Amino acid sequence: MQKSIYDTIARISNGQRYRFSELNVVKSILVISFLKFLYSEGFIRGFTLNNLSITVFLKYYNLKPSISYVSALSKPSKRVYLSKKEILVLSKKKEIFVILTSKGFFSSKNVFESNFEGGEIVCILS
């Protein structure tokens, strides 16, 4: 996982905290697939691609951010990998693990929907 994902997670967290309606993040293929995942799960309103950056439109519901808590679990110095069984034991109802596999991003909610074996835990959302 690249450094740009961690930067994107930090920018989204700070943007939600300070009630920004939109923010810019670094453009990369991994960030685009991460933002597509967040959009499909309903955490952001959408995003647009610019020349060198991506504009992310943050989502709020009743003046509260849709992402109340986000924390990067894996770091470049220490990656965290979990199997399917470990994710089921650790996952709570309100928290969602964002998991990076060779097939793309998954959430802990849809672990059973495909041939999921495990992967790198990118962040925890709630």
Side-chain angles (χ1 to χ4, degrees):
M1 194 169 52
Q2 297 176 357
K3 190 176 177 180
S4 59
I5 285 289
Y6 303 115
D7 181 55
T8 302
I9 292 169
R11 287 181 189 222
I12 289 174
S13 174
N14 291 334
Q16 293 277 19
R17 182 179 302 134
Y18 295 110
R19 307 275 193 251
F20 292 162
S21 62
E22 61 185 48
L23 54 94
N24 290 324
V25 296
V26 179
K27 186 176 181 180
S28 75
I29 295 171
L30 193 59
V31 171
I32 292 171
S33 63
F34 179 67
L35 292 174
K36 285 180 183 178
F37 169 78
L38 289 179
Y39 178 73
S40 68
E41 292 291 321
F43 287 111
I44 60 174
R45 285 187 296 144
F47 61 94
T48 59
L49 300 175
N50 304 327
N51 289 336
L52 298 174
S53 66
I54 302 170
T55 303
V56 180
F57 302 104
L58 300 177
K59 187 176 181 179
Y60 297 92
Y61 182 72
N62 290 335
L63 300 177
K64 292 184 180 180
S66 62
I67 301 173
S68 61
Y69 173 77
V70 61
S71 174
L73 204 59
S74 288
K75 297 181 174 148
S77 61
K78 185 174 182 180
R79 307 276 172 98
V80 178
Y81 296 96
L82 294 178
S83 68
K84 185 177 185 177
K85 288 182 182 180
E86 293 169 332
I87 291 169
L88 293 175
V89 169
L90 293 175
S91 65
K92 298 178 183 176
K93 292 181 181 179
K94 292 185 179 181
E95 293 180 345
I96 298 172
F97 289 105
V98 179
I99 305 156
L100 178 62
T101 66
S102 60
K103 297 176 186 174
F105 287 95
F106 286 93
S107 71
S108 56
K109 293 189 303 187
N110 57 9
V111 169
F112 290 114
E113 294 179 7
S114 62
N115 293 333
F116 181 80
E117 295 296 324
E120 180 181 356
I121 306 297
V122 177
C123 65
I124 299 173
L125 298 171
S126 66

